Coordinates of all heavy atoms in Angstrom, one line a residue:
M31 N 7.6 5.5 11.3 CA 7.4 6.1 12.6 C 6.0 6.7 12.7 O 5.3 6.6 13.7 CB 8.5 7.2 12.9 CG 9.8 6.5 13.2 SD 11.2 7.7 13.7 CE 10.5 9.3 13.6
D32 N 5.6 7.4 11.6 CA 4.2 8.0 11.6 C 3.1 7.0 11.6 O 2.0 7.3 12.1 CB 4.1 8.9 10.3 CG 4.8 10.2 10.5 OD1 5.1 10.6 11.6 OD2 5.0 10.8 9.4
V33 N 3.4 5.7 11.2 CA 2.3 4.7 11.3 C 2.0 4.4 12.8 O 0.8 4.2 13.1 CB 2.8 3.4 10.6 CG1 1.9 2.2 10.9 CG2 2.8 3.6 9.1
D34 N 3.0 4.5 13.6 CA 2.7 4.4 15.1 C 1.8 5.5 15.6 O 0.9 5.2 16.4 CB 4.0 4.4 15.9 CG 4.9 3.2 15.6 OD1 4.3 2.1 15.2 OD2 6.1 3.3 15.8
K35 N 2.0 6.7 15.1 CA 1.1 7.8 15.4 C -0.3 7.6 14.9 O -1.3 7.8 15.6 CB 1.6 9.1 14.9 CG 2.9 9.6 15.5 CD 3.4 10.8 14.9 CE 4.8 11.2 15.3 NZ 5.3 12.4 14.6
V36 N -0.5 7.1 13.7 CA -1.8 6.8 13.1 C -2.5 5.7 14.0 O -3.6 5.9 14.4 CB -1.6 6.2 11.7 CG1 -3.0 5.6 11.2 CG2 -1.2 7.3 10.7
T37 N -1.7 4.7 14.4 CA -2.3 3.7 15.3 C -2.8 4.3 16.6 O -3.9 4.0 17.1 CB -1.3 2.6 15.5 OG1 -0.9 2.0 14.3 CG2 -1.8 1.5 16.4
K38 N -2.0 5.1 17.2 CA -2.3 5.7 18.5 C -3.6 6.6 18.4 O -4.4 6.6 19.3 CB -1.1 6.5 19.1 CG 0.0 5.6 19.6 CD 1.2 6.4 20.1 CE 2.3 5.5 20.5 NZ 3.5 6.1 20.6
I39 N -3.7 7.3 17.3 CA -4.8 8.2 17.1 C -6.1 7.4 16.9 O -7.2 7.8 17.5 CB -4.6 9.1 15.8 CG1 -3.5 10.2 16.2 CG2 -5.9 9.8 15.4 CD1 -3.1 11.0 14.9
L40 N -6.0 6.3 16.2 CA -7.2 5.5 15.9 C -7.6 4.4 16.8 O -8.7 3.8 16.8 CB -7.1 5.0 14.4 CG -7.1 6.1 13.3 CD1 -6.9 5.4 12.0 CD2 -8.3 6.9 13.4
I41 N -6.6 4.0 17.7 CA -6.8 2.8 18.5 C -8.1 2.9 19.4 O -8.7 1.9 19.6 CB -5.5 2.6 19.4 CG1 -5.5 1.2 19.8 CG2 -5.5 3.5 20.6 CD1 -4.9 0.3 18.7
G42 N -8.4 4.0 19.9 CA -9.6 4.1 20.8 C -10.9 4.5 20.1 O -11.9 4.8 20.8
E43 N -10.9 4.5 18.8 CA -12.1 4.9 18.0 C -13.2 3.8 17.9 O -14.3 4.0 17.4 CB -11.7 5.4 16.6 CG -11.0 6.7 16.7 CD -11.8 7.9 17.1 OE1 -13.0 8.0 16.6 OE2 -11.4 8.6 18.0
G44 N -12.8 2.6 18.3 CA -13.8 1.5 18.1 C -14.0 1.0 16.7 O -15.1 0.6 16.3
I45 N -12.9 1.0 16.0 CA -13.0 0.6 14.6 C -13.3 -0.9 14.4 O -12.7 -1.7 15.1 CB -11.6 0.9 13.8 CG1 -11.5 2.5 13.7 CG2 -11.5 0.3 12.5 CD1 -10.2 3.0 13.3
D46 N -14.3 -1.2 13.5 CA -14.7 -2.5 13.3 C -14.1 -3.2 12.1 O -13.9 -4.5 12.1 CB -16.3 -2.5 13.0 CG -17.1 -1.9 14.2 OD1 -17.1 -2.5 15.2 OD2 -17.6 -0.8 13.9
I47 N -13.7 -2.4 11.1 CA -13.3 -3.0 9.8 C -12.1 -2.1 9.3 O -12.2 -0.9 9.4 CB -14.4 -3.0 8.8 CG1 -15.6 -3.8 9.3 CG2 -14.0 -3.5 7.4 CD1 -16.9 -3.5 8.7
I48 N -11.1 -2.8 8.7 CA -10.0 -2.1 8.1 C -10.0 -2.5 6.6 O -9.9 -3.7 6.3 CB -8.7 -2.3 8.8 CG1 -8.8 -1.8 10.2 CG2 -7.6 -1.5 8.1 CD1 -7.6 -2.1 11.1
I49 N -10.0 -1.5 5.7 CA -10.0 -1.7 4.3 C -8.8 -0.9 3.7 O -8.4 0.1 4.3 CB -11.3 -1.3 3.7 CG1 -12.4 -2.2 4.2 CG2 -11.3 -1.1 2.2 CD1 -13.8 -1.8 3.9
S50 N -8.3 -1.3 2.6 CA -7.2 -0.5 2.0 C -7.2 -0.6 0.5 O -7.7 -1.6 -0.1 CB -5.9 -1.0 2.6 OG -4.8 -0.2 2.0
S51 N -6.5 0.3 -0.1 CA -6.0 0.2 -1.5 C -5.1 -1.0 -1.5 O -4.4 -1.3 -0.4 CB -5.2 1.5 -1.8 OG -4.2 1.2 -2.8
P52 N -4.9 -1.7 -2.6 CA -3.9 -2.8 -2.6 C -2.5 -2.4 -2.6 O -1.6 -3.2 -2.5 CB -4.3 -3.5 -3.9 CG -4.8 -2.5 -4.8 CD -5.6 -1.5 -3.9
Y53 N -2.2 -1.1 -2.8 CA -0.8 -0.6 -2.9 C -0.1 -0.7 -1.5 O -0.7 -0.4 -0.5 CB -0.7 0.8 -3.4 CG -1.0 1.0 -4.9 CD1 -1.7 0.0 -5.6 CD2 -0.7 2.1 -5.5 CE1 -2.0 0.2 -6.9 CE2 -1.0 2.3 -6.9 CZ -1.6 1.3 -7.6 OH -1.9 1.5 -8.9
S54 N 1.1 -1.2 -1.5 CA 1.9 -1.5 -0.2 C 1.9 -0.3 0.7 O 1.6 -0.5 1.9 CB 3.3 -1.8 -0.5 OG 3.3 -3.1 -1.2
R55 N 2.1 0.9 0.2 CA 2.2 2.1 1.1 C 0.9 2.4 1.9 O 0.9 2.8 3.0 CB 2.7 3.3 0.4 CG 1.9 3.8 -0.8 CD 2.6 4.8 -1.6 NE 1.8 5.4 -2.7 CZ 1.8 4.8 -3.9 NH1 2.4 3.7 -4.2 NH2 1.1 5.4 -4.9
A56 N -0.2 2.1 1.2 CA -1.5 2.3 1.9 C -1.8 1.2 2.9 O -2.2 1.5 4.0 CB -2.6 2.3 0.8
V57 N -1.5 -0.1 2.5 CA -1.7 -1.2 3.5 C -0.8 -1.0 4.7 O -1.2 -1.2 5.8 CB -1.4 -2.5 2.8 CG1 -1.4 -3.7 3.8 CG2 -2.4 -2.8 1.6
L58 N 0.5 -0.7 4.4 CA 1.4 -0.5 5.6 C 1.0 0.6 6.5 O 1.3 0.6 7.7 CB 2.8 -0.2 5.0 CG 3.5 -1.4 4.3 CD1 4.8 -0.9 3.6 CD2 3.8 -2.5 5.3
S59 N 0.3 1.6 6.0 CA -0.1 2.7 6.8 C -1.3 2.4 7.8 O -1.5 3.1 8.8 CB -0.5 3.9 5.9 OG 0.6 4.4 5.2
V60 N -2.0 1.3 7.6 CA -3.0 0.9 8.5 C -2.7 -0.5 9.1 O -3.5 -1.0 9.9 CB -4.4 0.8 7.8 CG1 -4.9 2.2 7.5 CG2 -4.4 -0.1 6.6
E61 N -1.5 -1.0 8.8 CA -1.2 -2.4 9.3 C -1.0 -2.4 10.8 O -1.4 -3.4 11.5 CB 0.1 -2.8 8.6 CG 0.5 -4.3 8.8 CD 1.6 -4.7 7.9 OE1 2.7 -4.1 8.1 OE2 1.4 -5.5 7.0
G62 N -0.4 -1.4 11.4 CA -0.2 -1.3 12.8 C -1.5 -1.4 13.6 O -1.7 -2.1 14.6
L63 N -2.5 -0.6 13.0 CA -3.8 -0.6 13.6 C -4.5 -1.9 13.5 O -5.0 -2.4 14.5 CB -4.7 0.5 12.9 CG -6.1 0.6 13.4 CD1 -6.1 1.2 14.8 CD2 -6.9 1.6 12.5
A64 N -4.3 -2.6 12.4 CA -4.9 -3.9 12.2 C -4.3 -4.9 13.1 O -5.1 -5.7 13.7 CB -4.7 -4.4 10.7
E65 N -3.0 -4.9 13.3 CA -2.4 -5.8 14.2 C -2.8 -5.6 15.6 O -3.1 -6.5 16.4 CB -0.8 -5.7 14.1 CG -0.3 -6.2 12.8 CD 1.2 -5.9 12.6 OE1 1.8 -5.4 13.5 OE2 1.7 -6.3 11.5
H66 N -2.9 -4.3 16.0 CA -3.3 -4.0 17.4 C -4.7 -4.4 17.7 O -5.0 -4.9 18.8 CB -3.1 -2.5 17.7 CG -3.2 -2.2 19.2 ND1 -2.2 -2.4 20.0 CD2 -4.3 -1.7 19.9 CE1 -2.6 -2.0 21.3 NE2 -3.9 -1.6 21.2
L67 N -5.6 -4.2 16.7 CA -7.0 -4.6 16.9 C -7.3 -6.0 16.5 O -8.5 -6.5 16.6 CB -7.9 -3.6 16.1 CG -7.8 -2.2 16.4 CD1 -8.7 -1.3 15.5 CD2 -8.3 -2.0 17.9
N68 N -6.3 -6.7 16.0 CA -6.5 -8.1 15.6 C -7.5 -8.2 14.5 O -8.4 -9.1 14.5 CB -6.8 -9.1 16.8 CG -6.5 -10.5 16.4 OD1 -5.7 -10.8 15.6 ND2 -7.3 -11.4 17.1
L69 N -7.4 -7.3 13.5 CA -8.3 -7.3 12.4 C -7.5 -7.6 11.1 O -6.4 -7.2 11.0 CB -9.0 -6.0 12.2 CG -10.0 -5.6 13.4 CD1 -10.5 -4.1 13.2 CD2 -11.2 -6.5 13.4
E70 N -8.2 -8.2 10.1 CA -7.6 -8.4 8.8 C -7.8 -7.1 8.0 O -8.8 -6.4 8.2 CB -8.3 -9.5 8.1 CG -8.1 -10.9 8.7 CD -6.7 -11.4 8.6 OE1 -6.1 -11.2 7.6 OE2 -6.2 -12.0 9.6
I71 N -6.9 -6.9 7.1 CA -7.1 -5.8 6.1 C -7.6 -6.3 4.8 O -7.0 -7.2 4.2 CB -5.7 -5.0 5.9 CG1 -5.1 -4.5 7.2 CG2 -5.9 -3.9 4.8 CD1 -3.7 -4.0 7.0
E72 N -8.8 -5.8 4.5 CA -9.4 -6.2 3.2 C -9.0 -5.2 2.1 O -9.2 -4.0 2.3 CB -10.9 -6.2 3.3 CG -11.6 -6.8 2.1 CD -13.1 -6.8 2.3 OE1 -13.7 -6.5 3.4 OE2 -13.8 -7.2 1.3
T73 N -8.5 -5.6 1.0 CA -8.1 -4.7 0.0 C -9.1 -4.7 -1.2 O -9.7 -5.8 -1.5 CB -6.6 -5.0 -0.6 OG1 -6.6 -6.3 -1.1 CG2 -5.6 -4.9 0.5
F74 N -9.2 -3.6 -1.8 CA -10.1 -3.4 -3.0 C -9.3 -2.8 -4.1 O -8.7 -1.7 -3.9 CB -11.3 -2.5 -2.6 CG -12.3 -3.1 -1.8 CD1 -12.2 -3.1 -0.4 CD2 -13.4 -3.7 -2.4 CE1 -13.2 -3.7 0.4 CE2 -14.4 -4.3 -1.6 CZ -14.3 -4.3 -0.2
E75 N -9.2 -3.5 -5.2 CA -8.4 -3.0 -6.3 C -8.9 -1.6 -6.8 O -8.0 -0.7 -7.1 CB -8.6 -4.0 -7.5 CG -7.8 -3.6 -8.7 CD -6.2 -3.5 -8.5 OE1 -5.7 -4.3 -7.6 OE2 -5.6 -2.8 -9.2
D76 N -10.2 -1.3 -6.7 CA -10.7 0.0 -7.2 C -10.4 1.2 -6.2 O -10.8 2.3 -6.5 CB -12.1 -0.1 -7.6 CG -12.3 -0.7 -8.9 OD1 -11.4 -0.8 -9.7 OD2 -13.5 -1.1 -9.2
L77 N -9.7 0.9 -5.1 CA -9.3 2.0 -4.2 C -7.8 2.4 -4.5 O -7.2 3.2 -3.9 CB -9.4 1.6 -2.8 CG -10.8 1.4 -2.3 CD1 -10.8 1.0 -0.8 CD2 -11.6 2.7 -2.4
R78 N -7.2 1.8 -5.6 CA -5.8 2.1 -6.0 C -5.7 3.6 -6.4 O -6.7 4.2 -6.7 CB -5.4 1.2 -7.1 CG -6.1 1.5 -8.4 CD -5.8 0.4 -9.5 NE -6.5 0.7 -10.7 CZ -7.8 0.4 -11.0 NH1 -8.5 -0.2 -10.0 NH2 -8.3 0.7 -12.1
E79 N -4.5 4.0 -6.4 CA -4.2 5.4 -6.9 C -4.6 5.5 -8.3 O -4.6 4.6 -9.1 CB -2.7 5.7 -6.7 CG -2.3 7.1 -7.1 CD -3.0 8.2 -6.3 OE1 -4.2 8.5 -6.6 OE2 -2.3 8.8 -5.4

Side-chain angles (χ1 to χ4, degrees):
M31 288 183 357
D32 284 342
V33 167
D34 291 337
K35 293 178 189 176
V36 168
T37 301
K38 286 176 185 166
I39 289 169
L40 295 178
I41 204 79
E43 291 292 311
I45 290 170
D46 302 294
I47 300 160
I48 301 177
I49 292 171
S50 182
S51 154
Y53 287 19
S54 295
R55 60 192 182 272
V57 172
L58 291 169
S59 295
V60 293
E61 193 171 62
L63 180 65
E65 288 173 4
H66 191 82
L67 297 176
N68 199 28
L69 295 172
E70 295 292 321
I71 300 171
E72 185 177 359
T73 60
F74 285 87
E75 182 63 28
D76 281 345
L77 292 178
R78 70 190 178 277
E79 182 60 284

